[in-house]
Amino acid sequence: MSAINIPDMARILRIHGLKVIPVDVEIDTLRPKHELLPKLIGPRTVAILVAHLYGRWFDMEPFVAIAQKHNLELIEDCAESFCGLERLGHPMSSLSLFSFGVIKYCTCFGGALAKVRDPALYEQMTQLYSTYPLQTESVFFEKLTKYIIVWHCLNSPFVIKHTIRVLSLFGVDHKAKLVAMMRAFPGPLEPSIRMQPCNALLYMLLYRLQRVDVARLDMSVRKGDYVLQRLPSTVTPIGHRAWLRRYWLFPVLASDADSTIRRLNALGIDAYRGATQLNLIEPENGTQSPWSELDPRYPHEAKYLVDHVVYLPVHLDAPYWVLDCILKALNQLQPAAEDMPMSLVAKL
């Protein structure tokens, strides 16, 4: 599977008795390195799982060819990359998965979709799905109420200013607290996901999908490209050479991510690191051939990305004058002691 994903994805696979072997990810395209797959596929391999990260898409054809050659299932994780109903994954993917959680495009405050290629597998999944308990309406409305309150608070400068001040007095990281509140499954994972959505959530999902605003999605691309094309040479973008660029998040690399965030915050730019659960999927140490960072199969590039990523507040609702402020702040940052592109090459 892609070496960058949320840890729960790997956990779900392990719960089902599967061993996870991460595939390194290119920083400039965010494409898993398909050329490594023949060395990683073994006689017990059953599937390839690849993830489109940060809203960027990569060409699936090499993965389709490898999956067909080795008779493997191909699972396409599109949780971060929904961009309308015209792009629902590759037609030859066994499964294409989409998420509509609270921080996603076209949010429905929960829920997901799975596109299944094989009718027989679809029937098996439907039968199993029908045995799951039904989410109650009260649980959904409780979640909805919480998010509405949080949304109004976030859009009130007075509330935000004093809340941050109070939390800082108690040593509480307000960003970490907010991310924890936004988590789709704050409790135990398995019972939370093995449920059928209530009718209210299904109606919400249907309503949102029938009204996908492609113009807003296109605006996010224009604003993301606006910043990308004007980044100073000292800033290294991530995914800038992706096959198809969408901007669910806008990540860049910094030699010292924490220091860069502090300096940007001091300049009034709300850069951050922990707003997503994305992390490195570490290899599982085998008894015969333990993986280490010296092993060529180790996801070196993915690790570097995770260790040095900084997220900029570039999104479709940010006015252009705010984007200009972000660019101005980036230009005001003094270059790090080590040149970033050379640092990247050296570490890889």
Side-chain angles (χ1 to χ4, degrees):
M1 69 179 290
S2 298
I4 298 177
N5 211 312
I6 61 172
D8 281 343
M9 182 66 79
R11 180 184 169 193
I12 290 170
L13 296 175
R14 293 179 180 122
I15 287 173
H16 288 82
L18 299 173
K19 181 178 179 179
V20 175
I21 299 177
V23 182
D24 204 3
V25 175
E26 292 180 348
I27 287 176
D28 56 352
T29 65
L30 291 173
R31 173 186 64 85
K33 297 180 179 180
H34 60 80
E35 63 273 15
L36 297 178
L37 286 175
K39 300 177 183 178
L40 300 175
I41 293 173
R44 301 181 64 185
T45 304
V46 296
I48 300 171
L49 191 158
V50 294
H52 301 285
L53 301 171
Y54 304 131
R56 316 307 197 270
W57 291 77
F58 52 83
D59 185 9
M60 287 291 296
E61 291 298 336
F63 302 94
V64 170
I66 293 173
Q68 291 178 340
K69 178 181 178 180
H70 295 273
N71 194 29
L72 302 174
E73 303 290 352
L74 179 59
I75 304 171
E76 193 173 0
D77 182 354
C78 313
E80 300 179 359
S81 302
F82 179 77
C83 57
L85 298 176
E86 294 183 357
R87 183 173 296 280
L88 293 177
H90 195 281
M92 294 307 295
S93 294
S94 306
L95 291 174
S96 299
L97 307 173
F98 296 86
S99 170
F100 299 94
V102 66
I103 62 174
K104 298 292 177 32
Y105 280 144
C106 199
T107 178
C108 302
F109 306 102
L113 288 178
K115 189 189 75 171
V116 186
R117 182 170 63 89
D118 181 16
L121 176 60
Y122 172 79
E123 289 298 327
Q124 288 181 326
M125 293 174 63
T126 301
Q127 292 177 13
L128 179 61
Y129 176 75
S130 66
T131 66
Y132 290 171
L134 184 66
Q135 178 193 40
T136 63
E137 306 278 350
S138 60
V139 169
F140 178 68
F141 282 113
E142 179 182 343
K143 180 188 296 187
L144 190 60
T145 301
K146 179 182 73 173
Y147 292 147
I148 290 174
I149 294 173
V150 170
W151 184 86
H152 280 289
C153 290
L154 291 175
N155 284 274
S156 171
F158 176 82
V159 173
I160 284 293
K161 178 180 178 181
H162 289 86
T163 300
I164 292 175
R165 182 173 298 174
V166 171
L167 291 176
S168 63
L169 289 174
F170 290 94
V172 177
D173 184 342
H174 68 280
K175 293 179 182 178
K177 190 69 175 177
L178 179 62
V179 170
M181 292 177 65
M182 295 293 103
R183 288 199 64 179
F185 307 110
L189 178 65
E190 293 176 68
S192 298
I193 62 176
R194 287 179 174 171
M195 297 191 73
Q196 299 183 59
C198 64
N199 286 334
L201 176 53
L202 290 175
Y203 285 137
M204 171 75 82
L205 183 58
L206 177 62
Y207 179 88
R208 295 285 283 162
L209 291 179
Q210 289 177 334
R211 293 164 177 80
V212 174
D213 192 342
V214 178
R216 276 179 59 82
L217 293 172
D218 291 341
M219 176 58 73
S220 75
V221 175
R222 287 196 294 272
K223 290 186 174 180
D225 284 345
Y226 178 86
V227 174
L228 178 63
Q229 294 163 7
R230 291 164 175 80
L231 285 175
S233 59
T234 53
V235 176
T236 303
I238 294 174
H240 56 294
R241 293 195 177 96
W243 182 62
L244 181 66
R245 289 195 303 272
R246 295 292 185 268
Y247 295 95
W248 179 61
L249 292 177
F250 197 100
V252 297
L253 290 176
S255 55
D256 187 339
D258 292 332
S259 174
T260 299
I261 288 173
R262 287 194 298 269
R263 294 159 70 194
L264 286 173
N265 290 168
L267 293 170
I269 305 303
D270 194 22
Y272 51 91
R273 277 179 67 82
T276 171
Q277 298 178 58
L278 285 176
N279 211 328
L280 179 70
I281 306 299
E282 290 275 5
E284 300 178 24
N285 288 340
T287 55
Q288 296 180 346
S289 179
W291 283 23
S292 71
E293 294 192 21
L294 297 178
D295 193 310
R297 297 172 299 171
Y298 187 86
H300 298 281
E301 205 163 340
K303 179 174 174 55
Y304 190 88
L305 189 158
V306 169
D307 289 345
H308 295 85
V309 66
V310 171
Y311 299 108
L312 300 178
V314 177
H315 52 85
L316 62 88
D317 291 319
Y320 278 101
W321 68 267
V322 171
L323 302 182
D324 286 336
C325 288
I326 295 172
L327 290 166
K328 182 179 179 181
L330 291 171
N331 278 289
Q332 289 179 9
L333 293 180
Q334 294 297 321
E338 57 184 79
D339 180 70
M340 186 60 203
M342 292 186 65
S343 168
L344 176 59
V345 172
K347 289 181 179 292
L348 296 180

